[in-house]
Amino acid sequence: MDPSVRSRVISNALRLGVHPFMDRIPGHAGSIRTARSTVDAASLLMRHTPRVRFHALQDPGVESGEPPVTGEWVVARDAEAAPGAILYLHGGGYVICSPRTHRSITARLTLDTNLPVLVPRYRLAPEHPFPAPLEDAVAAYRWLLARGVPADGIVLAGDSAGGHLAAALTGEICRTGLPSPAGVVLFSPWVDLTCELSAQAHARDPYISARSARRVARLVVGPNGFDDPRVALLTCAWTNTPPVLIQVGGAEVLLPEAEALAEALTAAGADCELQVWNGQMHVFQLLNRVLPEASAAMRDTARFITAVTEPARTKSAA
């Protein structure tokens, strides 16, 4: 199906107004701070549905010895108690954005699934290079388990760099023997931080470029470089991986990375569904209140989450 008129208009506007800026932004701490301030200021102007409540979370982690868990709970006002939760890891190249910037997705998730959404404020690079974000994600997952949320009722989700983090968290859960979550949802995941795959892509991405992503990636990995096996998703064993849904835009530079991850997961025996949305840009789901394709993608996501968490719901009702 061809992209909607709205989709084409927004993509063209981004290609003309945002892509040149993103492609040339320097990869150093000063430019990152400026980008953070700009994005945070813009997020304050975003309106959100009154059907959803946002609760600040601040757990120092003193008792558990884990890193502190901070962020927010996103809950539908009329939602009944459900035996599960969504752990959402926001994107932003590991260097910008916050739980607030991704409320259009997290609010839609809680409304469509009736599950609360935990959005941790994980540490960002370059001040805190990898694996600091992964340590925070593991702490958030352990936090849910410690408060009685059943693992088979938890879905891990994330977009872009948050998609990389959600996938890395899935691998870390398998390696450390933590209870496996019910499923994983990845929106436009940044799979290959070396950017070798995206550099070969021919898509006219209206938002990001492989060149800019590579500059940011050097800040993300820090002094450890790209040798940390937790960074390299395509070489993970992916044993005992729960069902995975990957959604990616057909017009984005990260499409080859999403396809490669789906192939690796399928080869390892995982149940992986890859959806390529024709003509869509990077993390188009953020515009689910504007784009019909984004709204449809969120409905598909809700169906997947409902299906994989059904055993936990049934068990709770028995």
Side-chain angles (χ1 to χ4, degrees):
M1 182 181 298
D2 291 335
S4 65
V5 173
R6 286 186 181 182
S7 176
R8 291 196 296 270
V9 169
I10 292 174
S11 293
N12 287 334
L14 288 172
R15 183 176 291 111
L16 293 173
V18 176
H19 187 281
F21 171 77
M22 293 294 293
D23 189 48
R24 291 175 174 80
I25 188 170
H28 55 69
S31 65
I32 296 300
R33 285 194 294 270
T34 300
R36 283 181 192 165
S37 300
T38 302
V39 171
D40 290 344
S43 70
L44 294 174
L45 302 176
M46 297 172 62
R47 290 186 177 182
H48 303 287
T49 172
R51 299 164 58 200
V52 172
R53 294 176 295 177
F54 302 95
H55 302 288
L57 172 65
Q58 182 80 34
D59 189 321
V62 174
E63 295 180 359
S64 65
E66 296 281 348
V69 178
T70 64
E72 66 183 22
W73 271 110
V74 185
V75 184
R77 288 186 180 275
D78 299 328
E80 299 178 359
I86 299 169
L87 174 55
Y88 193 87
L89 300 161
H90 68 79
Y94 278 119
V95 295
I96 61 172
C97 294
S98 67
R100 177 183 287 274
T101 60
H102 284 64
R103 284 181 174 178
S104 64
I105 287 181
T106 56
R108 180 65 183 264
L109 284 174
T110 192
L111 287 172
D112 286 356
T113 66
N114 205 36
L115 291 173
V117 182
L118 171 60
V119 194
R121 187 181 295 275
Y122 60 84
R123 287 171 289 173
L124 300 176
E127 299 91 338
H128 305 284
F130 205 88
L134 179 57
E135 293 169 354
D136 293 346
V138 171
Y141 188 68
R142 289 183 180 273
W143 189 90
L144 286 173
L145 295 176
R147 277 145 188 81
V149 182
D152 61 356
I154 299 175
V155 172
L156 310 181
D159 67 276
S160 194
H164 179 277
L165 185 54
L169 173 58
T170 304
E172 192 71 1
I173 288 170
C174 294
R175 281 191 291 269
T176 58
L178 284 169
S180 178
V184 182
V185 175
L186 308 176
F187 298 143
S188 301
W190 187 17
V191 174
D192 174 26
L193 266 60
T194 69
C195 301
E196 292 178 1
L197 287 175
S198 57
Q200 301 170 17
H202 300 292
R204 295 182 64 238
D205 193 309
Y207 180 54
I208 60 173
S209 70
R211 182 168 58 178
S212 60
R214 184 181 291 114
R215 285 197 296 266
V216 171
R218 296 190 185 101
L219 301 177
V220 173
V221 297
N224 294 330
F226 297 97
D227 295 331
D228 189 330
R230 294 168 295 182
V231 170
L233 300 182
L234 295 178
T235 58
C236 286
W238 297 121
T239 54
N240 302 317
T241 303
V244 180
L245 170 65
I246 302 175
Q247 292 181 346
V248 62
E252 63 175 295
V253 73
L254 297 186
L255 173 58
E257 300 188 11
E259 292 173 331
L261 179 59
E263 291 176 3
L265 288 165
T266 301
D271 177 6
C272 178
E273 177 183 356
L274 173 66
Q275 295 182 354
V276 180
W277 289 77
N278 184 35
Q280 297 309 304
M281 62 182 182
H282 186 61
V283 197
F284 65 99
Q285 296 86 349
L286 279 166
L287 301 176
N288 64 78
R289 299 179 70 180
V290 179
L291 294 183
E293 294 91 345
S295 185
M298 295 303 295
R299 288 195 297 271
D300 274 2
T301 299
R303 283 194 288 269
F304 172 83
I305 292 174
T306 299
V308 298
T309 57
E310 183 60 30
R313 297 174 191 254
T314 303
K315 190 189 308 179
S316 175

